[in-house]
Amino acid sequence: MMTVRLIAHTPEPEKVVAAAAKLCYSDAHIADLLDGLNEEKTARFLEMLSDLGHASPIEHASFTFGIEGVSRTLLAQITRHRIASFSVQSQRYVRLDDFRYVIPPEIEAIPEAKAAFIDSMNEDAARYLDLVKKLEEAHTARLVAEGLPEKQARAKASKQANEDARFVLPNACETKMVVTMNARSLLNFFRLRCCERAQWEIRLLADEMLRLVYPIAPHLFRTAGPACLEGPCPEGKMCCGRAAQVRQKYARQKEQANA
């Protein structure tokens, strides 16, 4: 099951962004940037930045998430967001003796499809562990023959076995990661991945990340969400046709967070 935690963020992120904006539009000295930046003035600076489309100051606020229970399919998508930092559990160094996987909801909803999917995952797990064993034994024998002590040979062989055996693992295989994005990158991420046309798993992730950051920086993320919240859908003929419902959904979520 997907789990998302906000594990760190810039202290007082909105105030930091407002201070950066203040520097851009005044002759304030660095030592005085935070002076007078109460909640009202901070909100005013952030609204001004949004209205002007001046996005660079919001890059000074960053947010770090711990994410687990997601698939390698999701990993391939989220790493396309290049202005971010990723630390991902390695299949090279971590042997998946406890093989876990993500079942897509559409498969989960059909008993026959779910049974076939689970059978396939069990087969993949068995093949992976069998391949690990065969590779490890072969590599250990070779390294011992080359003169390496058996304990050292087996440790090295184990890593080599993991490195190649992982090639049989499916996209459904669970992974975990730590992800850091600045607020500007997050807004872009939400714009693209909260969209109804985004793949279901990364859309769920984006919604959960937005739910976590919004209470911390409500002015910074007041327009956060899919592109249709701020104007017409940019998807053209591929539009989901549910823009009104989507706007209601995010308005309701933000109202609940503000309650």
Side-chain angles (χ1 to χ4, degrees), residues 30-192:
I30 295 296
D32 305 325
L33 279 180
L34 296 177
D35 292 350
L37 277 180
N38 56 29
E39 187 174 346
E40 182 182 347
K41 287 186 178 179
T42 294
R44 196 158 60 240
F45 266 115
L46 295 177
E47 287 176 12
M48 178 189 72
L49 290 177
S50 179
D51 293 341
L52 293 174
H54 185 186
S56 62
I58 70 176
E59 295 175 12
H60 294 290
S62 66
F63 299 80
T64 299
F65 304 87
I67 302 166
E68 60 184 328
V70 295
S71 70
R72 303 290 289 197
T73 295
L74 182 142
L75 176 62
Q77 296 180 82
I78 196 171
T79 49
R80 293 174 187 164
H81 295 268
R82 292 181 294 278
I83 305 177
S85 300
F86 302 95
S87 297
V88 183
Q89 185 182 62
S90 173
Q91 291 180 342
R92 183 183 186 191
Y93 294 101
V94 179
R95 180 165 299 177
L96 302 183
D97 294 308
D98 181 19
F99 178 75
R100 299 186 182 189
Y101 49 85
V102 175
I103 304 178
E106 294 294 334
I107 293 178
E108 182 88 46
I110 303 170
E112 297 85 357
K114 181 180 178 181
F117 184 86
I118 292 173
D119 285 345
S120 179
M121 293 300 103
N122 290 337
E123 289 174 11
D124 285 342
R127 289 194 182 101
Y128 166 75
L129 292 174
D130 181 61
L131 187 54
V132 163
K133 182 179 178 181
K134 287 181 169 65
L135 289 169
E136 188 172 314
E137 292 301 323
H139 289 321
T140 299
R142 173 178 54 81
L143 291 168
V144 168
E146 291 173 359
L148 211 61
E150 184 173 353
K151 184 176 180 181
Q152 190 176 346
R154 189 162 292 280
K156 188 173 182 179
S158 176
K159 176 184 170 183
Q160 291 178 341
N162 293 347
E163 184 171 336
D164 292 325
R166 62 182 168 159
F167 277 77
V168 303
L169 293 171
N171 279 335
C173 185
E174 275 193 7
T175 190
K176 58 189 74 173
M177 67 190 82
V178 171
V179 178
T180 300
M181 293 187 187
N182 67 48
R184 187 178 188 179
S185 291
L186 269 176
L187 286 170
N188 178 65
F189 178 74
F190 296 145
R191 179 182 176 87
L192 298 174

Side-chain angles (χ1 to χ4, degrees), residues 189-243:
F189 178 74
F190 296 145
R191 179 182 176 87
L192 298 174
R193 302 301 186 173
C194 289
C195 174
E196 287 290 298
R197 293 199 63 253
Q199 187 259 355
W200 67 268
E201 189 180 17
I202 201 167
R203 187 173 68 248
L204 289 177
L205 174 62
D207 278 347
E208 183 62 11
M209 290 166 67
L210 176 53
R211 187 189 69 80
L212 292 170
V213 300
Y214 181 79
I216 293 166
H219 300 101
L220 200 54
F221 294 108
R222 68 185 178 93
T223 61
C228 62
L229 298 189
E230 296 186 88
C233 174
E235 295 291 327
K237 293 181 180 179
M238 302 180 78
C239 177
C240 72
R242 298 188 295 275

